[in-house]
Amino acid sequence: MLLSEMKVVAPGSLTEALRWLEEHQDRARPLAGATDAMVRVKEGQWRSPIWVEIRRLPELQRMDQADGWVTVGAAVTYGRLLRSELMAQTAPLLAAAARDVGSVQIQAMGTLGGNLGTASPAGDTIPPLFALEAEVGLCSRGGGERWVPVESFFLGPGRTVRRPDELITAVRFAPQAPGERWKWQKLGLRGAQAISMVSLALRLQPGFARVAFGAVGPTVLRARKCEAWLSQAEAFDLATVRSIAQMAWKEVAPISDVRASAAYRQQMACALLERGLREVLAV
Ligand SMILES: Cc1cc2nc3c(=O)[nH]c(=O)nc-3n(C[C@H](O)[C@H](O)[C@H](O)COP(=O)(O)OP(=O)(O)OC[C@H]3O[C@@H](n4cnc5c(N)ncnc54)[C@H](O)[C@@H]3O)c2cc1C
């Protein structure tokens, strides 16, 4: 498909955008920053005849904290995320991942909703959202709004529970605790502008641990055995940290592809976890 063959409509409100999706179902697709869409359309992978531009919809721009939730609208760009004082205070893990996405240009255009919509296991905001146990807001004209735990949102590479008549409106999560230890790490083939070969979002508080890996399975995944051992450990020395990090070997399920072999990814998952733990625990 040529880019010039794409029909792009620009509704002025969420209601109008949802009407386009409801009326055209599988023939229509949301378009946000277009950083994934332009590439996939050019390569002939995405062939929707109608694209519903949602990037400027005011209803998808929110970033606020109320009633125990931090809520980030689907059309919020990486640039806004990483410059936000609210994010720095309540979700520094997510802000750190946003800082590692692409280039300044991609950060200016790419959106949180687009990262979720593409549903790549290497999407960089997704491990932090798993570690934050975020929920994804989906809205349709007929069904109103529903909130889905981020772990249930993804079905596999490029596949989610979003129906064709639904838009992702926002994500919401409880804020990170003040003083919580956390670490975001991304390993790519280059230092910048690289798709993750392995990524890790780590959160640690006394009796609480969240470990989420990207690019080592069909979707982002939580290393629950590592989390359980980290939550139960009473003291951390180097031997304990190493043995818990090694458990990640069996928790991930990577494939080999152009970027790395499955075995290398497994090794790197353990290495990133060990490095992250040593840094946050100073062991
Ligand atoms: C040079 C380059 C470098 C990149 N580097 C990285 C990187 O380091 N890390 C990374 O994670 N990604 C990277 N990407 C991928 C891309 O930038 C991100 O996935 C980005 O978040 C996509 O957002 P977007 O707004 O551009 O989405 P779009 O391209 O507009 O849309 C992507 C998909 O999501 C759907 N979608 C968008 N918004 C919604 C919504 N509100 N509701 C429902 N569906 C929606 C669209 O229909 C489409 O299927 C890179 C891309 C390029 C071109």
Side-chain angles (χ1 to χ4, degrees):
M1 186 180 197
L2 296 173
L3 295 180
S4 56
E5 288 166 0
M6 289 171 71
K7 175 177 173 173
V8 180
V9 296
S13 69
L14 180 62
T15 313
E16 204 190 326
L18 293 175
R19 188 173 53 76
W20 274 100
L21 294 179
E22 186 184 66
E23 286 177 3
H24 298 276
Q25 298 283 324
D26 282 327
R27 296 184 68 249
R29 196 162 181 148
L31 185 67
T35 58
D36 275 322
M38 286 298 111
V39 177
R40 304 292 185 106
V41 168
K42 243 176 144 174
E43 288 174 353
Q45 293 171 22
W46 292 353
R47 296 168 177 275
S48 306
I50 300 168
W51 290 83
V52 183
E53 198 194 304
I54 49 137
R55 203 171 97 85
R56 294 186 186 84
L57 293 181
E59 297 91 336
L60 307 185
Q61 310 295 339
R62 62 188 287 198
M63 261 203 282
D64 52 62
Q65 183 175 17
D67 304 325
W69 294 106
V70 178
T71 307
V72 183
V76 169
T77 61
Y78 298 108
R80 278 186 65 203
L81 267 180
L82 64 89
R83 284 191 295 272
S84 154
E85 192 52 42
L86 176 67
M87 287 302 116
Q89 282 166 13
T90 61
L93 179 61
L94 181 60
R99 198 163 289 117
D100 261 357
V101 171
S103 56
V104 173
Q105 292 88 337
I106 296 294
Q107 289 168 358
M109 296 300 290
T111 63
L112 189 59
N115 211 219
L116 290 162
T118 295
S120 162
D124 281 335
T125 62
I126 303 171
L129 293 176
F130 269 54
L132 290 163
E133 296 176 302
E135 294 183 351
V136 181
L138 292 164
C139 191
S140 65
R141 212 156 75 112
E145 194 168 40
R146 62 180 177 129
W147 289 93
V148 180
V150 69
E151 266 189 277
S152 316
F153 179 72
F154 298 102
L155 299 173
R159 294 192 306 122
T160 73
V161 299
R162 183 182 80 84
R163 297 193 313 261
D165 65 335
E166 285 179 315
L167 264 181
I168 303 165
T169 48
V171 295
R172 68 180 184 187
F173 46 81
Q176 287 181 246
E180 171 184 304
R181 299 172 216 218
W182 60 271
K183 183 77 186 163
W184 158 252
Q185 287 183 92
K186 165 175 174 170
L187 182 67
L189 286 174
R190 298 180 294 261
Q193 283 267 41
I195 302 296
S196 288
M197 262 191 306
V198 183
S199 58
L200 168 70
L202 170 67
R203 298 177 65 200
L204 217 51
Q205 298 166 31
F208 170 97
R210 294 291 177 267
V211 178
F213 284 108
V216 288
T219 65
V220 168
L221 53 85
R222 293 236 324 252
R224 286 200 152 75
K225 280 197 190 121
C226 298
E227 290 180 354
W229 280 90
L230 286 166
S231 309
Q232 287 156 18
E234 283 173 5
F236 292 100
D237 57 16
L238 188 53
T240 314
V241 162
R242 283 203 168 133
S243 69
I244 294 175
Q246 277 306 310
M247 288 176 196
W249 183 275
K250 288 201 174 145
E251 296 220 62
V252 299
I255 53 161
S256 299
D257 65 12
V258 286
R259 286 188 198 93
S261 68
Y264 181 72
R265 285 191 158 104
Q266 262 174 316
Q267 254 174 355
M268 288 305 107
C270 300
L272 288 194
L273 183 54
E274 182 181 323
R275 191 199 289 171
L277 287 170
R278 288 185 65 178
E279 193 176 316
V280 299
L281 295 164
V283 292

